[in-house]
Amino acid sequence: MKLTALLSLAAAVAALPTTTDVVPRASISKADGTKFNIDGVTKYYAGTNSYWIGFLTNDNDVDVIMGHLETSGHKILRVWGFNDAKSPQSGQVYFQSFSGSTASVNTGALGLQRLDAVVKAAEKHGIKLIINFVNNWTDYGGMAAYYSACGVSSNAQWYQAAKCQTMYQAYIKAVVSRYRNSNAVFAWELANEPRCNGCQTSVLTDWIRKTSDYIRSLDSDHMITVGDEGFGLAGATTYPYQYGEGIDWRANLALPNISFGTFHLYVDSWGVSNDKAFGDNWVAAHANICKELNKPCLFEEYGVTNAADHCPVESGWQKKSLSLRNDGMAGDLFWQLGDKIQSTGQQTHNDGHTIYYGSADWTCLVDNHVKNIG
Ligand SMILES: *[C@@H]1O[C@H](CO)[C@@H](O)[C@H](O)[C@H]1NC(C)=O
Ligand SMILES: *[C@@H]1O[C@H](CO)[C@@H](O)[C@H](O)[C@H]1NC(C)=O
């Protein structure tokens, strides 16, 4: 109880420059070989994704949802730590805006204070957050929101343009310095699904090295990861194994300030057949590399669009991942969390992949999975 209060206070004052580290080191989530250690316990962990939780405007709504994760035995939640708006409307939640050739961080009530509520609720409920810094896609702005302010017109240019990177790093600094002292931070994440289509893989590897070193210079403790889809693996000829999206997965994971590997799985949008077998092989291919490099692998997003397939297909992938818990796999997070927003009575966004708290899919993919993990 006391510890929670202290940590919430720490989050509230983290925006102020401070050199005092108030987080007991034992409570910092870390890599332990190919597994994760959370609050001193090394084991396989389950969790989910919520891009929207930092955009809710009612603190209690956030707290109730975080409480549901806690009582369900989920431990890791991946959230959008960005919300980039080119021309924000009044009343809109956004974390960064752009005007002319400048970027400004919004620390107001509808700005990073929304993320503060997420961090605070996570601290209270023992949930650990993966917080990412920019989107490859245009949802919530993404790299494209920076384009005119930093003088580029593509993501490929964005990764390499000094001005874009200065803005991006300033945003990273604003977020990291705000929550650096919170034990609710599981890991900092460079981007959601960074791609550089048709680029040499050195473009992204250089960007990942530079950015992870930068984050490490701001925070010597928390884990750092990429947030990519897991493309670019030798060994098979289907699209996701190719290097065309600019990702060399092993080279990126081998970078010294990258703590663990991420990969996603969307058989529907990747146009690959045989969901079960493709998925199992995909998980195993990444686990092999993690084992070799002695870093954990996180199966960070996965989903299928056909609702009737949610339970059978996704639980099969969960079992595959869990079966490799001593062979490289450290945890999995399905896409995406669904719940009822208490203050409005509305259900959160159903994108076809959503697994709602309290549903039969939840029993299948959360309750049963958590039981299997033990
Ligand atoms: C994300 O990256 C891919 C590959 O570079 C690109 O095709 C796609 O357009 C990107 N998204 C945006 C919004 O640029
Ligand atoms: C990791 O980042 C830190 C901080 O920028 C840097 O000093 C260090 O050289 C990097 N680690 C390695 C092994 O390159």
Side-chain angles (χ1 to χ4, degrees):
M1 203 66 126
K2 261 202 220 124
L3 184 63
T4 305
L6 179 66
L7 291 167
S8 305
L9 179 66
V13 300
L16 307 170
T18 170
T19 51
T20 323
D21 191 345
V22 296
V23 185
R25 293 190 91 76
S27 73
I28 292 172
S29 301
K30 47 187 161 293
D32 179 0
T34 59
K35 293 197 173 78
F36 292 128
N37 179 290
I38 297 181
D39 292 331
V41 179
T42 297
K43 58 175 242 180
Y44 187 96
Y45 284 99
T48 183
N49 286 270
S50 173
Y51 75 82
W52 45 261
I53 198 163
F55 312 151
L56 298 179
T57 52
N58 177 304
D59 290 8
N60 187 56
D61 290 341
V62 174
D63 186 73
V64 167
I65 292 166
M66 215 62 90
H68 291 162
L69 296 179
E70 180 185 20
T71 54
S72 300
H74 262 183
K75 209 61 192 166
I76 306 172
L77 181 69
R78 177 167 174 260
V79 304
W80 279 190
F82 59 82
N83 186 335
D84 295 302
K86 255 170 73 179
S87 4
Q89 312 294 304
S90 89
Q92 182 190 334
V93 173
Y94 67 94
F95 300 164
Q96 180 170 234
S97 62
F98 301 86
S99 164
S101 59
T102 60
S104 348
V105 178
N106 178 9
T107 56
L110 294 179
L112 285 177
Q113 290 178 34
R114 303 316 315 142
L115 203 53
D116 294 352
V118 173
V119 171
K120 192 172 160 200
E123 285 168 349
K124 178 174 158 195
H125 294 286
I127 302 299
K128 308 299 174 178
L129 303 170
I130 297 177
I131 299 178
N132 62 20
F133 299 125
V134 71
N135 206 352
N136 175 88
W137 310 101
T138 51
D139 303 316
Y140 299 94
M143 294 167 194
Y146 290 67
Y147 285 179
S148 59
C150 64
V152 301
S153 56
S154 72
N155 288 9
Q157 293 170 347
W158 184 92
Y159 294 112
Q160 302 173 82
K163 184 154 191 203
C164 303
Q165 293 306 302
T166 299
M167 288 174 170
Y168 170 61
Q169 291 194 347
Y171 184 70
I172 290 175
K173 188 174 189 178
V175 175
V176 170
S177 54
R178 210 169 171 90
Y179 309 120
R180 194 172 56 85
N181 290 330
S182 173
N183 76 345
V185 175
F186 183 74
W188 306 116
E189 185 168 277
L190 272 54
N192 176 49
E193 302 189 335
R195 290 183 182 185
C196 194
N197 190 271
C199 303
Q200 293 196 314
T201 58
S202 59
V203 172
L204 284 181
T205 302
D206 289 349
W207 171 73
I208 292 165
R209 179 196 298 276
K210 200 169 70 176
T211 308
S212 59
D213 286 359
Y214 178 66
I215 297 169
R216 185 53 77 228
S217 77
L218 301 173
D219 177 347
S220 55
D221 293 321
H222 291 104
M223 292 188 285
I224 301 169
T225 194
V226 179
D228 66 300
E229 295 151 287
F231 297 146
L233 299 173
T237 53
T238 46
Y239 157 73
Y241 286 85
Q242 304 297 300
Y243 298 82
E245 301 293 359
I247 297 273
D248 179 337
W249 201 74
R250 175 202 293 268
N252 297 340
L253 182 58
L255 292 171
N257 282 317
I258 291 297
S259 314
F260 62 90
T262 58
F263 63 92
H264 301 175
L265 174 56
Y266 290 103
V267 286
D268 302 308
S269 47
W270 294 352
V272 291
S273 56
N274 198 343
D275 300 1
K276 174 74 175 108
F278 179 88
D280 284 0
N281 292 336
W282 184 244
V283 172
H286 290 88
N288 273 338
I289 295 176
C290 281
K291 204 176 162 184
E292 237 176 84
L293 297 178
N294 197 32
K295 291 185 181 184
C297 254
L298 180 63
F299 187 11
E300 192 186 51
E301 287 190 20
Y302 53 90
V304 285
T305 41
N306 182 2
D309 289 341
H310 285 168
C311 173
V313 174
E314 295 176 33
S315 69
W317 292 336
Q318 289 180 333
K319 289 192 178 88
K320 178 66 183 182
S321 181
L322 185 55
S323 77
L324 296 173
R325 67 167 120 190
N326 294 317
D327 294 294
M329 290 310 306
D332 68 86
L333 319 178
F334 63 80
W335 182 275
Q336 66 158 329
L337 171 65
D339 205 340
K340 193 161 99 178
I341 300 173
Q342 293 293 313
S343 66
T344 63
Q346 283 173 340
Q347 297 283 91
T348 60
H349 180 208
N350 186 356
D351 64 357
H353 296 101
T354 308
I355 307 298
Y356 286 99
Y357 173 72
S359 66
D361 280 347
W362 189 271
T363 305
C364 172
L365 297 170
V366 182
D367 300 337
N368 294 349
H369 188 38
V370 165
K371 238 179 271 162
N372 291 339
I373 292 169

